Amino acid sequence: MYKNLAGRAVLAWASACFFTSFSFPAFSQPQAPKEPLKIGFVYVTPVTDAGWVRQHEEGRKAVDAALGARVKTTFVENVAEGADAERVIRDLAQQGNKLIFTPSFGYMEPTLKVAKDFPDVKFESITGYKTAPNVATANARYYEGRYLAGIAAGRMTKTNVAGYVAGFPIPEVLQGINAFALGMRSVNPNAKVIVVWLNEWFDPPKERDAAMTLFNQNADVVAFHTGSTAVMSAAQERGKMAIAYHSDMRKIAPDAQIVAVTHQWGGYYTQRARAVLDGNWKSGNLWGGVKEGMIRVGDFGTKVPKAVQQEVMARQQDIAGGKLQPFRATAGDVRDNEGHVVIAKGAQLSDDQILKMNWLAEGVQGRVTR
């Protein structure tokens, strides 16, 4: 009996020593990998090889390239402005996208409406102007590129007539037409610009017909503010010259393109996505241009002399450096096409005045419905 008790005591002691001397590692639950930031993009037309939507698609790809596995991007294309846009934007928010880019002016109100119902989602209304705590706006100073393209057109035209195929007479489009005319006439005072209004952003057959009409009115170079490449194709077909817009369009019009005004969204989109990832995103309103790298002129055609290319690039540097503003009157008063002084000599339009532009410059044939 005592022997058994002693044996049990030794066993108990040995067991205590064993568990005291060796400790088992604590097993912790493995941490789940951090979910990537889901980012949605809404496009107003199909994704084509060039144009407005193509540049935003390039911006989306730039976000993927810069941020890799930290983000997961998606897009919905060919979404009409209005009720359809609201449905798509809401669906993207419900799918867990925490950052949504809506790059079309007509998406502004639908974006604001959806944003009220999803306060934890960040929205970027591109070309919009109304902000909210979770809605930022951004736009580019397209008119800076238009002025530079006007210089190229003024040097290249033989008829002193340029055509301009325009979507709607909103301030952004008027800024572009006027800057183009002012740039053109800065090097060719006899130049004039004929405008054709389409009241459409994307209608390739109508865009083509408008360009053909302008060529029949003696225009030998055309610019446009619409969504397709139809104007460039028309210029190529007729043996005329054209200013590419949104994208480099030399693949479509290798002989016609003299220069391209391109939009660069990758830097801005990446910056805003990184801000969400880092937790420091804030609503705001950015209007960037050549200086910020959002607008670039280049991609000259083979017909453009080196001297003209150098002149345009020098003026681009002047804009980037603040030495040149398209809507500053230096040589004399700037008048509209009804004879009224709209910029007095020595004066410069404020951003507010540019954003509310409702006139057409001297030398432009066309009317603005007020």
Side-chain angles (χ1 to χ4, degrees):
M1 179 178 178
Y2 294 106
K3 182 178 180 181
N4 288 341
L5 287 172
R8 289 176 183 175
V10 170
L11 181 60
W13 175 82
S15 298
C17 289
F18 178 82
F19 286 110
T20 301
S21 302
F22 299 93
S23 59
F24 292 101
F27 290 97
S28 59
Q29 290 293 327
Q31 286 190 343
K34 192 172 183 180
E35 288 291 320
L37 170 67
K38 294 180 70 175
I39 307 174
F41 293 78
V42 186
Y43 298 151
V44 72
T45 70
V47 178
T48 56
D49 290 339
W52 171 258
V53 164
R54 165 50 57 187
Q55 294 309 107
H56 292 281
E57 173 63 0
E58 292 301 315
R60 182 190 68 82
K61 290 179 178 180
V63 173
D64 282 341
L67 301 177
R70 299 179 69 193
V71 297
K72 182 179 181 181
T73 67
T74 187
F75 68 87
V76 183
E77 61 185 321
N78 204 22
V79 179
E81 296 173 336
D84 199 31
E86 182 183 336
R87 176 186 60 78
V88 170
I89 297 166
R90 188 175 300 278
D91 190 45
L92 286 170
Q94 290 171 339
Q95 290 174 22
N97 289 280
K98 295 300 182 183
L99 177 60
I100 299 175
F101 291 95
T102 57
S104 188
F105 181 78
Y107 291 163
M108 180 178 68
E109 295 296 347
T111 298
L112 289 163
K113 192 171 180 181
V114 175
K116 288 181 180 179
D117 297 331
F118 293 88
D120 61 332
V121 177
K122 315 300 184 194
F123 297 84
E124 295 274 346
S125 178
I126 307 302
T127 74
Y129 61 88
K130 294 181 181 179
T131 61
N134 61 330
V135 180
T137 62
N139 206 352
R141 295 179 185 269
Y142 312 107
Y143 67 85
E144 293 182 345
R146 295 294 198 179
Y147 184 90
L148 297 167
I151 293 174
R155 292 298 191 197
M156 296 297 293
T157 182
K158 300 294 191 293
T159 65
N160 294 329
V161 179
Y164 208 110
V165 181
F168 294 89
I170 64 173
E172 179 185 306
V173 179
L174 297 173
Q175 294 159 20
I177 295 169
N178 291 335
F180 180 77
L182 291 170
M184 194 174 185
R185 288 165 67 88
S186 74
V187 298
N188 185 345
N190 296 319
K192 66 178 181 179
V193 179
I194 305 174
V195 179
V196 174
W197 297 105
L198 296 186
N199 293 316
E200 300 277 359
W201 288 127
F202 186 82
D203 190 328
K206 286 181 70 173
E207 293 169 54
R208 180 185 183 281
D209 288 347
M212 291 300 186
T213 297
L214 289 164
F215 295 140
N216 292 338
Q217 294 181 37
N218 208 31
D220 62 352
V221 58
V222 288
F224 63 96
H225 195 140
T226 50
S228 82
T229 60
V231 171
M232 300 298 293
S233 297
Q236 179 73 17
E237 180 183 335
R238 287 286 292 270
K240 305 295 184 178
M241 298 178 288
I243 308 295
Y245 191 54
H246 310 302
S247 311
D248 176 10
M249 297 181 176
R250 283 176 293 183
K251 287 184 179 180
I252 291 93
D255 303 314
Q257 179 168 312
I258 57 175
V259 71
V261 179
T262 60
H263 308 167
Q264 309 294 324
W265 292 103
Y268 178 77
Y269 283 172
T270 301
Q271 175 191 10
R272 299 302 279 170
R274 187 174 281 118
V276 175
L277 287 166
D278 295 343
N280 56 19
W281 184 98
K282 293 180 180 179
S283 176
N285 182 9
L286 175 69
W287 198 17
V290 169
K291 180 181 178 181
E292 292 78 12
M294 296 174 74
I295 294 296
R296 184 178 66 83
V297 168
D299 307 313
F300 294 97
T302 57
K303 296 179 180 178
V304 183
K306 283 291 182 185
V308 175
Q309 296 184 33
Q310 291 168 355
E311 180 181 19
V312 172
M313 298 308 287
R315 298 295 80 76
Q316 182 163 239
Q317 288 300 312
D318 288 344
I319 289 177
K323 297 178 182 177
L324 170 62
Q325 284 86 29
F327 297 123
R328 181 169 61 193
T330 53
D333 294 341
V334 172
R335 298 178 181 272
D336 66 16
N337 64 0
E338 296 177 356
H340 307 113
V341 175
V342 286
I343 314 174
K345 182 179 179 180
Q348 177 180 329
L349 293 186
S350 67
D351 281 355
D352 187 59
Q353 290 173 315
I354 296 172
L355 289 167
K356 294 178 180 177
M357 189 170 287
N358 66 347
W359 48 270
L360 287 171
E362 184 177 20
V364 178
Q365 292 185 9
R367 293 182 63 85
V368 178
T369 303
R370 292 184 176 90

